[in-house]
Amino acid sequence: MKNKTFLLFVLLFFFFSGTLCLAQEKTVEEQYRLFLEKYRVYQAGSDPYINAKSKYLSYQSVTSRADYLDLARKYLISEIEAAEFYTVFVRRRLAEATKVLNYQENFYFIKLDDEITFLSLLKNRVKDASSTSDLLNFWTDFETHFESISSYGYSVKSYIEIASLEKIDENLKTTKDKLDQYLIENLLDDSYAEAARDNFSVLEKDYAKIVSQMNNIKSRKNKLSSEKASKETAEVIRGEVNQILTPIQVLIASYQKLLQTIVPK
């Protein structure tokens, strides 16, 4: 059995700040710690499982078979539990983010709930497994579902990053519209007003570039629920978010500076 790394949880855990705790629900941090505990148990079982498998393949005795079956069952259960707690963690992270961002993405909630249910049922089936062939079939089922879980994890990560960027973009548009309205309503036709409007028109070109980039990123967000995301996809989206984030922040600062220049103290 290939040793899984669960690397995505680190990115998900540290990406978005702020915690919203619902009554009788574990926080993201609590769910993260529970996942770590299960993952460490899974890691600790790796060597004993490998040793038991090696002895079983070498000796083919009744004793080695019984030992292998017992340890393989325990090892698979620990892997399922690690994946189960990881999936719950991803779902909890999504729930927190969607409430803070005022977004709702039912597709991921439904898919993650389905996977949590599957893992719980599979764990019970593994506990009752009485043959190595049964265990191998269960392991195959688990691998297939873990591939989907991993994809949902990367999708959720990218979804949160894009949704967060959209909130920042909304702030940019609000600042721009306020400045535009002030220029229309308050500045008279003089050289000072003309300079202010010229400055604003230059910034409008920068804003148009950002709008174009945002449209491309939003189209990626719309596709996330219909495609299987991967580590590579998530990295590309993260790079695009980083690329546009700085220009947005610079433009917001430029709008605010212009406002401070033209608004009377």
Side-chain angles (χ1 to χ4, degrees):
M1 174 51 52
K2 196 182 298 182
N3 191 21
K4 293 185 175 58
T5 59
F6 292 88
L7 289 178
L8 175 60
F9 76 89
V10 178
L11 297 174
L12 282 168
F13 182 67
F14 289 109
F15 169 67
F16 191 80
S17 60
T19 300
L20 184 62
C21 181
L22 304 180
Q24 296 184 347
E25 284 192 6
K26 289 182 174 61
T27 65
V28 172
E29 290 84 355
E30 290 170 337
Q31 199 62 57
Y32 172 78
R33 286 193 292 270
L34 289 173
F35 160 68
L36 276 183
E37 290 174 7
K38 294 297 182 180
Y39 180 61
R40 286 169 184 146
V41 171
Y42 161 64
Q43 284 184 310
S46 177
D47 287 343
Y49 164 75
I50 292 173
N51 291 335
K53 182 178 180 180
S54 177
K55 289 180 180 179
Y56 170 62
L57 294 176
S58 297
Y59 304 129
Q60 294 289 319
S61 65
V62 174
T63 301
S64 63
R65 179 187 178 283
D67 290 343
Y68 168 68
L69 182 60
D70 181 57
L71 284 170
R73 189 189 296 112
K74 291 178 181 178
Y75 186 53
L76 178 53
I77 288 174
S78 70
E79 187 173 19
I80 293 171
E81 287 182 340
E84 187 177 17
F85 275 74
Y86 170 75
T87 310
V88 173
F89 162 70
V90 172
R91 191 194 187 286
R92 186 69 193 93
R93 181 67 193 84
L94 177 63
E96 177 199 74
T98 53
K99 290 182 182 299
V100 172
L101 296 169
N102 295 321
Y103 280 86
Q104 189 67 32
E105 182 48 75
N106 291 327
F107 173 82
Y108 296 124
F109 284 115
I110 293 171
K111 292 299 182 181
L112 291 169
D113 284 343
D114 287 345
E115 295 300 339
I116 291 168
T117 299
F118 168 81
L119 292 173
S120 178
L121 293 173
L122 180 63
K123 184 167 58 176
N124 290 330
R125 293 170 67 191
V126 171
K127 289 177 181 178
D128 295 332
S130 58
S131 69
T132 56
S133 60
D134 284 344
L135 278 178
L136 289 175
N137 289 333
F138 293 149
W139 237 315
T140 300
D141 289 344
F142 171 77
E143 289 289 343
T144 300
H145 280 264
F146 186 79
E147 182 179 342
S148 295
I149 291 168
S150 178
S151 174
Y152 297 142
Y154 283 117
S155 294
V156 167
K157 174 182 179 295
S158 296
Y159 175 85
I160 293 173
E161 289 174 346
I162 295 174
S164 300
L165 181 65
E166 286 178 321
K167 282 297 180 182
I168 297 172
D169 185 55
E170 286 177 15
N171 292 336
L172 171 64
K173 186 177 186 307
T174 299
T175 303
K176 181 189 83 74
D177 290 345
K178 286 182 179 179
L179 177 55
D180 191 17
Q181 191 67 26
Y182 186 88
L183 289 171
I184 293 172
E185 296 177 353
N186 294 281
L187 290 189
L188 300 175
D189 291 329
D190 55 24
S191 59
Y192 178 77
E194 185 177 338
R197 292 192 183 96
D198 183 62
N199 192 340
F200 182 76
S201 66
V202 171
L203 296 178
E204 282 283 74
K205 295 177 182 177
D206 294 334
Y207 180 73
K209 293 178 183 178
I210 289 173
V211 169
S212 177
Q213 288 178 285
M214 279 299 304
N215 287 337
N216 291 333
I217 292 177
K218 287 178 181 178
S219 67
R220 282 190 174 277
K221 177 167 170 271
N222 294 334
K223 292 178 181 178
L224 281 173
S225 60
S226 60
E227 298 178 353
K228 280 197 171 184
S230 63
K231 180 182 178 183
E232 291 72 24
T233 302
E235 288 176 347
V236 169
I237 290 176
R238 181 59 185 172
E240 291 176 347
V241 169
N242 287 339
Q243 188 175 16
I244 192 176
L245 187 57
T246 298
I248 287 177
Q249 292 170 334
V250 169
L251 190 52
I252 289 176
S254 298
Y255 282 145
Q256 291 172 339
K257 184 177 180 180
L258 183 55
L259 269 174
Q260 291 169 359
T261 302
I262 62 178
V263 175
K265 304 295 183 184

